[in-house]
Amino acid sequence: MAEPTPALTRQSLAAAALRVLERDGLAGLSMRKVAAEVGVKAASLYWHVRNKEELLDLLTDALVAGAELPPREGSWREQFLEYGRRYRALLLAKRDAAKILSGRLTTGPHTLAILEDQLDRLRNAGFSDADAAMASYLLSAYVQGFVLQEQSPLSAAEAAGAGRGEVARAAGDAFRALPAETFPNLVALADDLTNPDMETRFEFGLQRLADGLAVLLPPENASA
């Protein structure tokens, strides 16, 4: 006798979608594949999600389910920076996560818990309600946008299999070889443009983000 099909839930659907995403990427994610992953016909999925976009909403919350929140210690700035670093690490650890999460706002339980925690820290730091909301959005947009660029090929050479460092060095060589009378800045800054690794670039942007937000706080709170 055949084994009965396990009851399909939104949780099991999200878990199946995660497995398909890890195996086939966002381009290969489909309702049909997710249905096959849980052993049902695609039509059965429509009792739980009406279309692929609703499936992506479920997947969004599942992707952040494993997020570890920064400890509540140190200054607001230290906690804010650590939020950014941990979010980047999460996006890099899960295949195509940045493509799915970028620009998407869902109300799943894990997403809500993270937003509530983040906003609570920002308001306690002394940010106004409007500024706290904007700061939370800005951090998310910066990290997502950075990871999307980080995971995109620098050029056709990288897309064909060349290493990122190799491509960057080649670009630096090309800048240095330009006529200095026409491109004085590109020649002078060739190393500065192409040498820094992604960790250095990410940290620079994250620190400047915090610098900008600090001016919104009362002076006595800016470094607390």
Side-chain angles (χ1 to χ4, degrees), residues 10 13 31 45-51 54-55 58:
R10 287 172 68 85
L13 192 54
M31 299 286 276
L45 268 58
Y46 293 98
W47 289 99
H48 303 276
V49 290
R50 288 178 291 184
N51 48 47
E54 287 195 4
L55 178 64
L58 269 186

Side-chain angles (χ1 to χ4, degrees), residues 7-208:
L8 187 61
T9 65
R10 287 172 68 85
Q11 290 73 25
S12 63
L13 192 54
L18 277 174
R19 293 193 296 273
V20 174
L21 180 69
E22 184 60 32
R23 185 179 68 235
D24 301 329
L26 180 57
L29 181 70
S30 67
M31 299 286 276
R32 179 184 58 79
K33 286 185 178 180
V34 173
E37 187 71 20
V38 291
V40 300
K41 299 292 186 182
S44 300
L45 268 58
Y46 293 98
W47 289 99
H48 303 276
V49 290
R50 288 178 291 184
N51 48 47
K52 185 177 178 180
E53 288 301 321
E54 287 195 4
L55 178 64
L56 291 176
D57 283 350
L58 269 186
L59 193 52
T60 293
D61 199 59
L63 283 167
V64 301
E68 293 185 7
L69 304 182
R72 282 184 175 256
E73 56 189 37
S75 66
W76 74 267
R77 183 189 180 103
E78 291 168 337
Q79 295 178 47
F80 182 82
L81 295 174
E82 188 60 20
Y83 243 115
R85 295 172 188 134
R86 292 188 180 207
Y87 189 32
R88 174 176 173 242
L90 183 145
L91 293 181
L92 289 173
K94 297 177 182 290
R95 184 174 181 181
D96 287 341
K99 292 180 180 178
I100 294 171
L101 270 63
S102 292
R104 190 172 289 269
L105 177 62
T106 63
T107 55
H110 301 104
T111 303
L112 293 178
I114 292 171
L115 282 173
E116 177 64 24
D117 177 79
Q118 194 174 94
L119 292 170
D120 184 60
R121 296 182 199 224
L122 291 166
R123 294 178 77 197
N124 285 339
F127 288 99
S128 70
D129 290 353
D131 288 345
M134 283 294 194
S136 177
Y137 172 83
L138 191 58
L139 179 64
S140 178
Y142 170 68
V143 177
Q144 291 168 356
F146 187 92
V147 173
L148 283 174
Q149 290 205 48
E150 187 173 13
Q151 293 182 327
S152 299
L154 285 173
S155 67
E158 186 179 0
R164 196 176 190 90
E166 177 186 352
V167 173
R169 286 190 295 274
D173 291 341
F175 291 157
R176 281 185 288 274
L178 292 168
E181 64 277 11
T182 306
F183 302 101
N185 296 294
L186 283 172
V187 173
L189 302 182
D191 289 344
D192 297 298
L193 288 167
T194 60
N195 280 355
D197 60 21
M198 298 309 287
E199 294 291 335
T200 302
R201 295 177 187 277
F202 178 76
E203 194 66 24
F204 178 87
L206 191 62
Q207 294 283 351
R208 301 297 76 77

